[in-house]
Amino acid sequence: MNPFGLHALVLVIDWDESGAEKAIRTAAAIGYDLIEAPIFDPASVDLKRTRDLLRRHKLTPSVSLGLTAETDISSADRAVSAAGVARLHKVVDATAFIGGNTVAGVIGSAWQKYLVPPTDAGYKNAVSGIREVAREARGKGVTLAVEVVNRFESNLLNTAAQAVRFVDAVGEDNVGIHLDTFHMHIEEADAAAAIRACGPRLRYFHVNENHRGYVGAGSIDFAPIFRALVTAEYDGAITFEAFSSATASPTVAGNAAVWRSVFEDGEDVARRALGYLKEGTANARRAIEQARSA
Ligand code: MN
């Protein structure tokens, strides 16, 4: 069974002292198995407190981030790419410390709109940089899942096919793909086929409506997506993500272009989403069993 996760920023504005506590307590009370902690810079987080809160509420963490222009691992400038490697090493250490085993998000490039395509040198730096971080992460039991995001949020990995090539070029078994239904809805011709194409490389999954609000209340057709996850025998976390101006931090709001309120009550959104994920995956299993026995 897939663990069901909740992105903390559905509930709170930031993973600061009060935000972390509220997110962990609320996600556990709703019944989630996992909380996704946005930790862009571990130096700004009280990791011991985070670890203790997670233990107290029996919640597993995943950690996500987006690299910045200053830590762009896909930069052709070796010093900038190396700064990205250094940042990811710190995030891997923090993840292992708080009891997590997955670092996800936009870690193959900066999380930003690019005005030019990636360079060959930058692509090679990203591949070798992720490989270097992964080799260190393996000993700590941490997997890196590179998120595939739409063209306005990165120039490197916009489709699952690109991510398959990237992950195969890295060639480390603790590096995989992080897909997100919001981004797939923009870029993929067939989201279900994209999921199946990742095969065992798929290591993390975001469920996200096209408007990033209440899931099931938008224009994404989730039934084939859940069926593809079952068919691909994906057993990793399925994490609900949503953003509204009511709960978005300035960093996230800027990069994700969160300019309006699509919900006010994050707890209600999160509660309904967990029901939707459970029902969606259960229905997908039933459909596939029924088709097999017909
Ligand atoms: Mn996402």
Side-chain angles (χ1 to χ4, degrees), residues 44-288:
S44 68
V45 174
D46 185 341
L47 295 169
K48 189 177 175 304
R49 193 162 175 281
T50 287
R51 182 193 65 185
D52 293 346
L53 281 164
L54 288 163
R55 283 181 181 166
R56 193 181 317 148
H57 292 276
K58 299 184 170 55
L59 218 51
T60 302
S62 63
V63 169
S64 66
L65 73 152
L67 292 170
T68 64
E70 294 73 36
T71 56
D72 184 352
I73 197 170
S74 74
S75 173
D77 181 330
R78 293 301 299 250
V80 175
S81 181
V85 169
R87 173 58 55 88
L88 289 179
H89 276 307
K90 286 182 183 150
V91 174
V92 165
D93 288 347
T95 303
F97 180 82
I98 64 173
N101 59 20
T102 305
V103 172
V106 187
I107 56 176
S109 74
W111 183 30
Q112 63 178 39
K113 181 175 176 182
Y114 285 82
L115 300 178
V116 290
T119 60
D120 289 345
Y123 190 91
K124 284 183 187 137
N125 284 346
V127 168
S128 61
I130 290 290
R131 186 185 295 134
E132 185 185 333
V133 176
R135 286 180 178 168
E136 187 78 20
R138 179 179 295 108
K140 292 166 178 149
V142 173
T143 288
L144 308 177
V146 290
E147 187 168 13
V148 179
V149 296
N150 74 74
R151 64 190 72 187
F152 303 109
E153 298 182 42
S154 174
N155 63 357
L156 198 81
L157 305 175
N158 300 143
T159 66
Q162 289 176 317
V164 166
R165 285 196 291 277
F166 183 85
V167 164
D168 288 353
V170 172
E172 298 292 326
D173 59 11
N174 63 327
V175 175
I177 299 170
H178 168 186
L179 290 180
D180 178 314
T181 58
F182 165 81
H183 299 293
M184 284 198 285
H185 188 65
I186 296 171
E187 300 292 352
E188 303 286 356
D190 182 336
I195 291 166
R196 291 191 297 268
C198 291
R201 300 175 195 83
L202 185 61
R203 302 295 170 83
Y204 200 67
F205 197 80
H206 271 167
V207 164
N208 214 314
E209 192 49 270
N210 68 291
H211 48 51
R212 292 199 184 263
Y214 279 93
V215 65
S219 57
I220 295 181
D221 183 6
F222 281 99
I225 288 172
F226 287 129
R227 289 181 197 184
L229 290 172
V230 174
T231 305
E233 296 180 349
Y234 174 68
D235 60 2
I238 299 177
T239 296
F240 174 65
E241 180 177 60
F243 294 120
S244 173
S245 57
T247 57
S249 72
T251 319
V252 168
N255 290 318
V258 182
W259 310 131
R260 61 198 165 88
S261 177
V262 292
F263 59 84
E264 292 293 327
D265 183 350
E267 191 172 335
D268 188 53
V269 175
R271 194 178 300 280
R272 289 170 190 274
L274 180 57
Y276 192 84
L277 297 180
K278 285 183 173 172
E279 198 180 330
T281 49
N283 281 340
R285 284 194 192 91
R286 272 184 216 111
I288 287 162

